[in-house]
Amino acid sequence: MINAFISGFGLSLSLILAIGAQNAFVLKQGLKNERVFLVCAICALSDAILIFSGVAGMGYLIERFPAFASLARWGGFAFLLAYGARSLWSALRDSHAMKPADAPRASVQKTLALTLAFTWLNPHVYLDTLVLVGAVAGKYAPLHWIFGAGAAGASFAFFFSLGYGAKALAPAFARPLTWKIFEGLVGVVMIILAFAILPK
């Protein structure tokens, strides 16, 4: 039982650790200290839903209906491209002459929409959770639900650690130049990822 949980935790963590748009967004929210709990909770709960759906055998839907993954891919491309361009524009135009904590807070609705978009418009999340985690979990039957619990646990541990751990970097981001550089890097990463998810 413990082995199944640890295996699920390790597999999920290895998939989440890769630098991605969602992680960059969570880090940014943590640095701004803006609705961190909401963002982390949505990311982790979304992963848990997808992971347990994969454990339940829903991965075959992705394989049977490729149009679903294609829709997520093009939707994710448009979203990441727009968000990346917005970050680059902010890096070039905004003064950032304020501490992150003093920045205007986005509404709950906007934060919710952005977080859901970063999660559900990422085609790789479906392959990682529904297909890959689901397939590996099947090897641990009848403990596949324990495996899934470990995988979901990794998501909760990672996102909350990233979101709240970002506060340790906040003093460095009190300098406007640091924020400009960070915004520029986020913009570049988002645009690169946007083109990376397109079909080869």
Side-chain angles (χ1 to χ4, degrees):
M1 181 178 295
I2 295 178
N3 182 53
F5 184 91
I6 293 176
S7 297
F9 190 99
L11 175 61
S12 180
L13 188 62
S14 67
L15 295 172
I16 301 172
L17 280 175
I19 296 175
Q22 185 186 46
N23 294 352
F25 176 70
V26 174
L27 177 63
K28 186 174 180 179
Q29 292 298 114
L31 288 169
K32 293 165 62 179
N33 194 26
E34 184 175 296
R35 308 196 192 284
V36 180
F37 181 85
L38 176 65
V39 170
C40 294
I42 291 173
C43 290
L45 286 172
S46 295
D47 266 13
I49 291 171
L50 289 166
I51 286 169
F52 283 116
S53 296
V55 173
M58 297 295 288
Y60 79 95
L61 289 176
I62 298 297
E63 297 173 334
R64 187 174 178 182
F65 300 103
F68 178 79
S70 180
L71 181 63
R73 178 176 289 111
W74 285 104
F77 169 77
F79 172 74
L80 290 176
L81 195 63
Y83 193 92
R86 179 180 176 276
S87 291
L88 287 178
W89 181 256
S90 176
L92 293 172
R93 290 293 303 273
D94 294 348
S95 66
H96 297 83
M98 62 178 69
K99 295 182 179 179
D102 297 332
R105 290 168 64 84
S107 66
V108 173
Q109 294 83 353
K110 181 178 180 180
T111 302
L112 177 64
L114 281 173
T115 309
L116 289 173
F118 273 113
T119 301
W120 295 88
L121 287 179
N122 176 12
H124 295 299
V125 75
Y126 299 104
L127 297 176
D128 288 346
T129 55
L130 291 179
V131 179
L132 180 57
V133 173
V136 176
K139 300 179 180 180
Y140 286 85
L143 300 176
H144 50 296
W145 293 109
I146 302 298
F147 180 92
S155 289
F156 277 89
F158 175 78
F159 285 119
F160 278 93
S161 296
L162 180 63
Y164 284 99
K167 291 182 180 180
L169 300 174
F173 283 82
R175 295 192 293 270
L177 179 60
T178 308
W179 263 109
K180 276 184 171 289
I181 294 173
F182 180 71
E183 284 276 31
L185 288 175
V186 167
V188 171
V189 168
M190 297 294 180
I191 291 174
I192 290 174
L193 290 173
F195 284 97
I197 64 176
L198 290 179
K200 301 296 188 289

